[in-house]
Structures are given as C-alpha cells and as structure tokens.
Amino acid sequence: MGTGRLYAAVAAGGFRRYATYRTATAAGVFTNTVFGLILAYTYLALWHERPHLGGYDEAQALTYVWVGQALLMTVSVMGGGFEDELIERIRTGDVAIDLYRPADLQLWWLAGDLGRASFHLLARGVLPMAAGALLFPLALPSRPLVWVAFLVAVLLGAVVSFAIRFLVALSAFWLMDGAGVAQISWITALFCSGMMLPLNVFPGALGEIVRALPWASLIQAPTDVLLGTADPAAVYVRQLAWAVVLLTAGRMLQSAATRRVVVQGG
C-alpha cells in the first residue's frame, strides 16, 4: 500500500470509528443544540444592550454562536480527540510499538484525527446549525464559494488544533501523565479560540494578543470567513503559518521522544 493510500485508510478508519458511537453522537447533537440556545439568548441580550459589538450585527452574532457549536467537536476545542489515547500509550509504554512501525507517528495520528473531525463536522455540525437556522435569523451566505472557503478554513483549523494537541500529548514522555497539561490546553482553547465570546470583542492589547494566538484559527478564523468579515487569503496565511510552526515543533519533540525511547530500550 502506498504512503498516501495508507494515511487515507487511517483517516477513513477514524471516520468509521466515531460513526459507531451513535448514542453518544445523538447525545452530543442534543447537547450542542441546548448550549447553542443558551448562548444564542445570552448573545441576544448582550447585543440588545451593545448593538454591533465586535463589529457584528445581531444576525452575525447569532450565526457566530451556531458555527461555534458546529465546530466545537470538529476542531476539538475541549479535547476529546486522539490525545487521551496517545497519552495513555506513552504512559504504558505501548507507544514504543508505534515508533517502530513503518509509518510516521505524527502523520498517522493526524490522518486519524482528520477522519474524526470529518465525522463530527457532518454528524455534530450540520444538525445544530440547521436547528439554529430554523429558530433564529442567521446571516448565512448564499454563494457556494463562500462555503467552500469556510470549509478550507475549518480544515486548516483542524490541523492547527491537532498540532497543539500533539504537543500536549508528547509532553507525557517527560511528565508521565499529560492529564494536567491537557486540561490546561482545553481551558485555554475554550477562551482563546472564541468559543465563548468572539475575539473581536476583547479590548485593546488583549484582543490583539488573542487574535494572534494559534487558538484563533479554531473558531474565530473560520467563522469570520463564513461571515465575510475577514479576507480568506489572510486567514489562510495565518492558519498555515501556525500549522507549519506547530507541526515542526511536534516533529522535533517526536524526534527527542524517539531518542529517549531508544536510549531507555537500549
């Protein structure tokens, strides 16, 4: 099997794996919809007091809410992806088997995580978004090319998310338990991705900082592409830059971890 076909098969396997959890998926759709309703009415109250807060009108703010719910699991804002399994394999030493496989560790987990992300976008993204569109006046684009640009931003956001979580998981080689780092990571992502509140709302220097951080690629960047409030090319450049930097850092950490395993094995 060629390298490309191998990782395509891993991605397909990741999709099928999460597709088997039908009850959990249904519960997740329900949860996303309920939290979407809570946030939507909170945003309505906030935008009633502060119209055009963050540069969004009311319809755009409501759209922001439902896009966030659609992408919550797609880009693993609160974890729930591959990282817990990889941390456990590092803790038990089973990762040594992975490192000796004729497949790159980083690409293997990336392919699987993209398969997971694809499933969640379809299963836990479309239905909550449809519910939001039925209940509220959303500012959804009518041009297909805008949706294509949005999906590209979502894909890049998923890669950035993976790169962050891969670094978090590899920290277990030195900490032996990456649970604490993982919790810090998803709490940071929750606030710095724009999941709770658009990053455009953050004032002054704080707003500039959070919008420059990699977590902005997860929710804020794709939503701005969909709403037409950001130039897709500029968004892609920033997402790609973070993806390259973080994936390179992950590869360097992977090399250091591999040397550690070889030395200990020897």
Side-chain angles (χ1 to χ4, degrees), residues 86-142:
L86 180 53
I87 288 172
E88 180 63 17
R89 292 186 69 80
I90 293 171
R91 189 188 68 80
T92 60
D94 290 341
V95 72
I97 300 173
D98 302 335
L99 291 171
Y100 283 109
R101 284 176 180 164
D104 182 77
L105 183 72
Q106 187 183 58
L107 291 178
W108 177 280
W109 288 103
L110 174 58
D113 199 56
L114 289 179
R116 175 207 59 79
S118 299
F119 172 75
H120 282 308
L121 181 62
L122 294 173
R124 292 185 60 172
V126 174
L127 291 179
M129 176 70 81
L134 288 173
L135 296 171
F136 300 95
L138 303 186
L140 296 176
S142 58

Side-chain angles (χ1 to χ4, degrees), residues 105-227:
L105 183 72
Q106 187 183 58
L107 291 178
W108 177 280
W109 288 103
L110 174 58
D113 199 56
L114 289 179
R116 175 207 59 79
S118 299
F119 172 75
H120 282 308
L121 181 62
L122 294 173
R124 292 185 60 172
V126 174
L127 291 179
M129 176 70 81
L134 288 173
L135 296 171
F136 300 95
L138 303 186
L140 296 176
S142 58
R143 292 185 299 158
L145 286 179
V146 177
W147 286 99
V148 172
F150 165 70
L151 291 176
V152 172
V154 171
L155 172 61
L156 293 175
V159 174
V160 172
S161 173
F162 165 82
I164 295 171
R165 290 176 290 121
F166 187 69
L167 288 170
V168 168
L170 291 188
S171 69
F173 274 106
W174 290 269
L175 301 177
M176 297 307 297
D177 184 0
V181 179
Q183 288 180 345
I184 293 173
S185 176
W186 73 254
I187 291 173
T188 303
L190 188 63
F191 290 97
C192 293
S193 67
M195 184 69 233
M196 301 302 296
L197 199 64
L199 302 183
N200 295 343
V201 173
F202 287 49
L206 177 61
E208 294 295 329
I209 291 172
V210 293
R211 285 191 292 272
L213 293 174
W215 292 278
S217 297
L218 277 57
I219 300 293
Q220 183 72 52
T223 307
D224 280 342
V225 170
L226 185 69
L227 292 174

